[in-house]
Amino acid sequence: MASASSPLDTVVLTIAQSLSAVERTFYKLPGSAIIERYVRSSHQNDPGRTFLELIIFFLVVRTLLQSRTRADSNNAKNFIEFTEKEIDELVEDWVPEPLSRPLDDVEAAELAAVPVVAGPNGPHPTLVNTGKPAINLASLNFTGLANNEHIKQRALEAMRKYGVGSCGPTGFYGNFDVHIQCEKDIAEFLDTESAILYWQGFSTISSVIPAFCKRGDIIVVDRAVTLSIQKGMEISRSTIRWYDHNDLHSLEEVLQSVEKERRKRKGPLTRRFIITEGIFERDGTMTDLPKLIELKQKYKYRLILDESFSFGSVGRTGRGLTELYNVKASKVDMLVGSCAIGLCATGGFCAGSKNVVEHQRINAPAYVFSASMPPLLAVSASEGINVLRDTPSLLTRLQDNIRAARALLDQVECISIPSHRASPIIHIYLRNTTYTDNLLHPSSAASMPSSKPSNPTSPIPRDAPVFDIEREERLLQEVVEEAMAQGVMITKAKRVRGLEISEARPSIRLAMSSALSKSDTEKAVHVLVKILKRKFR
Amino acid sequence: MSTPALSLSSSFTNSTADTLLTQADAENSHGLAFPVEPPTSEQVHTTVHTEFGHCSNEAHRRFSSHIPNTPVLHPEDRDPPYYVLLSTYVSYLILIVLGHMRDLLGKRFRAKSYKHLMPSNGYAPLNSDFDSFYTRRLKKRMEECFSQPVTGVAGRTIQILDRYSKDFNHTQTSLNTVTRALNISSYNYLGFAQARGGCADAVEEGMKIYGVSTCGSRLEGGSSDLHTTTESLVAKFVGTEDALVSSMGFATNSTYIPALVSKGCLVISDEFNHASIRFGVRSSGAQVRMFKHNDTNALEALLREAISQGQPKTHRPWKKILVIVEGIFSMEGTMIDLPTILALKDKYKFYLFVDEAHSIGGIGLHGRGIADYYAVDPRKIDVLMGTFTKSFGAAGGYIAGSKVLIDRLRIRSYTGPYAEAMAPPVLTQIVASMASIMGVDNPAGTSMESLAPSSSSSTLQLISSSTSPEAQYHHPGPVPQGFLPAWITLPYALSSGFEGRERLRRLSFNSYYLHRGLDKLGFITYGHPCSPIVPLLIFNPGKMMMFHRMMKDRQTPIITVVVAYPATPLITSRVRFCVSASHTKDDIDCILRACDEIGDVLDLKHGISRKDRWSLDEICRRAVELVNLPDHEN
């Protein structure tokens, strides 16, 4: 008997011992007395509560354990269990779409017709397409800096000092003295506190925007902004409100509606931005900067202004819109420009206050994660600024050429030109009188604009202009190719149809240059005018 | 046009003003300006030693290639001892607590200096104090490690503009002095960052003809015949039907990926893929799933799940699945297991996008990147992307693939109509450096030497002991003269492809040597020994800055890149060495010696056990033996 009970006794004894050990340890823990007192008193008062608290405790533990795999458990609702064999069959059955569609005939023809310059580009390049020299109204060489011998010489010297590549991002030994100098030059030229260089014009603003605008911030933006701005906003995930293209009245209405919305929700103060372009890439219209600044200050917004096409082309020395309207550049919070377009180098910049610039050095993806600009191109940009500053005659010649071209184009009936009279890029639309009858709904919408404002949450305006993209693209392409055959290099404004937030109207985009003489400009535009008149009589 | 050969004897007299070494250089107190051992009379070096180190020792070469029919090397990550992990976490904890206390008190008592973080005048702060906490309170403390201003060529050595901070790193003050330092940080794998030599001469010639800009985007009047030439050369180099170039490496990913996938497509991306890939995927509208870094099993599991489940909620089949990986990962130095991924591709029918930013030019018998390394036909990979920054001393990026794909991308990506075309000097640099890696086929009949030299180099055993990789993979061979612009004349050393091969083999030797040397010293490193990126693990945030400073303040200054969170996981802060073909064995010795000494002071040696370690002298002496150990025996 004693021998039979002894193993049982040992077990009981062990359990009792370990229990008391647990108890001792529990009392040794700091604060255990408090817990004990709490449990005891609450249990005495209401045993049901103890039970409830236990349930809550387990729920908390469960949630904590789950949170790590929350994504999966959300999916679990939709998750279908398959056996390995079924998965194999599904894999077997799955037929993906091809990675890319081959070009159709129209696309292939258009790609083949893209002008390719043999040798250096400039006012009179030789084309690979025709094998003949042409007058250049397509390339962006507003002030003729691409052919400046002085800049070339300085760039050569820089190459012999720095090599070509910079071999690293700015953070890690890609921060050359010439980059710092170029940033300084830009800031001084525009008279802002500071400036930051990016390495590609297109990537500049699409990286500046997400550096500042985050989820929950508000962006009020023009409906016809260029693709790089659209992409930047998409990455930023901010709340976007649209106003009618280049219509500051519409802007004010949107600003008011945003303010109303905020008051209603009583939300916290968020960052608010107005984003627009100086000269619009899409159609060459120009923003009324003084009015815009007045609005931005009144409603306390920050302004991100894309001057890609206005920097280096308007104003007495090419400082852009701020010089043209005599507005202090420091009033624009983030002034974005392009060294590739305005200075015929490469890259872009954002000028602003020290805070604004330093913030981007850590937060702008295209700046942080990319190797810096080849030093020799930073030198070309710096020299470009010097040339602009010292020779205002370049800008007057450019304006003369623009005026000459506009005078000729204005005589043509079958086209309309949305671009501003000072804009160095001139967009040419076909007038749509010729085919309005063919439209399914020749409704009143097009002819009688309603007085109601557009919906600010949609990028499409209320009275969207109606045009037949395919037809206009085709007709314009015919004009372009005919002009090229006659020794005038022009181009359609190229788009990535279907990938932009709204479709831009097809247009021919002329780019004026002070490197061309006035007579050459007139000669070239005259050829174009003749073709247009003959084709669309 | 030709630059005088700069051997030691001539470099005193022949250097022109801008390569002329500074006073300190002439004294060579740092040992960087001239080789330790002067060259013999037969050795003529055509490079400037500070840009591209002189090395004539044939033993200091290695071939970079995967040996067929052997398993792919998966170096395992070693874990540090627990006390290192614990102290790292505690360090961050202290930093975070201190930072928040400073913020809390600072806002009360020094409101002025916090103004930009608080709402003022009806404007919300540009930068919330929470978002910028890491930058202000952690990065600021080690500001001296970042954005160091430099000048001159980012070659074997680089000149840093000395600076210091008077106000706790808020601003940096320049000292107006320049220090030459050994550069183990720039992306200069093949050493083409040079201001002298055949490539630089070609660039000068090109700039005289083409200027610096082609004025505009590719589709709108900014295309030049030089672009066309470069693109066909790149296609030839990579081994695909067609290729296109883009003026910025980051933008190559961020603007072309959206042209490949859209809504209804799935992108499966490695968790350590570069920010540009994430940027591109995010703006494409496609769904994205990530898999564990370099884990093909995880990839397969994810593929099985994705294909069987289809799109979320609707369960419709995916339109297409694009798997995006990097050839060599920029922070890890790891290499993908291409054969396994290609086998998966056959089974699961996804499209494969390989970002070769760090592998093109850097690895493979012929320098053609990851496909060359594994001796696989590059056309099996749907999209090959790479950059010219790292191996070619240029800038920008390319995408290579089938003609159908590339033509579509030309008109369908944002770059074609909107972004500026690549600048002529950059294009010429690419053409010249690529041609000198490939070698130019001379119709006159001077036959190319066969790739494996017939000398009794010890590295040869690697090749001969296995079946020839050429059996499976026929590499494109030298480039016909017709692919190059007529005005480019490369010196014989370049056009024969001799120097290109030397560079490839020197890079491979240096990568293996630094990698294995550090391992043998007892450090924890990551990645494949073949990769020119060699990360050395430091862990503690405080040691990171000390390491950087101690390396820089040595008798022979060495500049290093230290990277921490958010570029790496919080715990695994590291220093990242980027080896170059321009380094000599002496340079690597110098780096190993520095690491050895600093590693002892900072307690960084947590790798292999003490008994397996080698002493520094032993490593330097047995370097060739160490480098030539087969991958799997080390």
Side-chain angles (χ1 to χ4, degrees), chain A residues 80 88 91-92 94 97 117 121 139 160 165 167 171 173 175 177 200-201 235 300 302 346-347 494 500 509, chain B residues 121 124 147 150-151 187 195 201 204 214 220-221 223 225 247 282 304 309 319 349 351 393 418 420 560:
Chain A
I80 307 171
D88 282 335
V91 167
E92 191 74 24
W94 181 56
E97 283 180 9
V117 172
N121 203 350
S139 308
R160 284 303 184 183
C167 299
Y173 309 102
N175 188 18
D177 47 357
Q200 191 188 53
I235 297 284
K300 300 204 186 298
R302 291 188 172 93
T346 192
K494 302 278 180 170
E500 305 194 22
R509 195 215 63 193
Chain B
N121 195 20
S147 299
V150 295
T151 186
Y187 304 128
D201 293 341
E204 176 166 343
T214 58
E220 293 183 344
S223 278
D225 54 345
S247 54
R282 218 162 112 185
R304 290 178 76 82
Q309 296 294 325
K319 284 189 193 157
K349 295 174 276 192
Y351 298 108
Y418 291 108
E420 71 254 26
T560 51

Side-chain angles (χ1 to χ4, degrees), chain B residues 477-493:
Chain B
V479 57
Q481 183 76 52
F483 272 69
L484 303 182
W487 47 266
I488 282 194
T489 41
L490 293 172
Y492 181 71

Side-chain angles (χ1 to χ4, degrees), chain B residues 52 55-58 60-62 190 436 453 493 497-509 581:
Chain B
F52 193 91
C55 168
S56 325
N57 191 338
E58 265 299 311
H60 297 161
R61 308 281 191 270
R62 193 191 196 283
L190 290 181
S436 56
F498 173 75
E499 195 178 313
R501 281 195 301 279
E502 287 286 287
R503 286 177 190 241
L504 287 169
R505 292 166 62 220
R506 274 177 71 172
L507 174 64
S508 178
F509 177 87

Side-chain angles (χ1 to χ4, degrees), chain B residues 376-430:
Chain B
V376 170
D377 184 357
R379 297 188 188 208
K380 285 190 180 161
I381 303 169
D382 301 283
V383 193
L384 279 161
M385 177 269 169
T387 63
F388 302 116
T389 319
K390 278 93 181 179
S391 295
F392 306 98
Y398 69 84
I399 295 216
S402 67
K403 183 152 177 30
V404 169
L405 171 79
I406 300 298
D407 275 347
R408 172 60 60 193
L409 290 181
R410 283 185 213 280
I411 62 165
R412 184 136 180 98
S413 82
Y414 315 149
T415 304
Y418 291 108
E420 71 254 26
M422 195 181 258
V426 181
L427 289 166
T428 321
Q429 171 76 17
I430 295 166

Side-chain angles (χ1 to χ4, degrees), chain B residues 141-191:
Chain B
R141 286 173 180 270
M142 44 187 298
E143 198 70 12
E144 69 173 61
C145 307
F146 305 111
S147 299
Q148 169 75 52
V150 295
T151 186
V153 178
R156 173 181 156 261
T157 66
I158 194 166
Q159 288 158 288
I160 56 176
L161 306 176
D162 300 318
R163 59 175 186 175
Y164 71 108
S165 181
K166 287 188 283 198
D167 52 1
F168 304 104
N169 285 340
H170 281 293
T171 55
Q172 301 280 344
T173 315
S174 174
L175 275 170
N176 293 324
T177 54
V178 170
T179 305
R180 189 176 288 282
L182 185 60
N183 181 6
I184 184 81
S185 298
S186 292
Y187 304 128
N188 179 27
Y189 300 145
L190 290 181

Side-chain angles (χ1 to χ4, degrees), chain B residues 62-68 190 236-240 327-328 335-336 338-339 342 354 356 359-381 384 392 398 437-438 451 463 467-477 500-501 504-505 508 530:
Chain B
R62 193 191 196 283
F63 284 103
S64 162
S65 163
H66 178 71
I67 302 163
L190 290 181
K236 177 99 178 136
F237 184 87
V238 181
T240 54
I328 287 180
M335 196 192 285
I336 52 162
L338 188 63
L342 284 177
V354 181
E356 290 223 74
S359 51
I360 191 71
I363 57 169
L365 264 186
H366 319 92
R368 313 291 165 84
I370 195 82
D372 189 19
Y373 181 81
Y374 285 113
V376 170
D377 184 357
R379 297 188 188 208
K380 285 190 180 161
I381 303 169
L384 279 161
F392 306 98
Y398 69 84
I437 301 170
M438 300 165 92
L451 193 100
I463 305 297
T467 53
S468 163
E470 312 285 315
Q472 300 167 21
Y473 158 65
H474 189 72
H475 105 97
R501 281 195 301 279
L504 287 169
R505 292 166 62 220
S508 178
C530 183

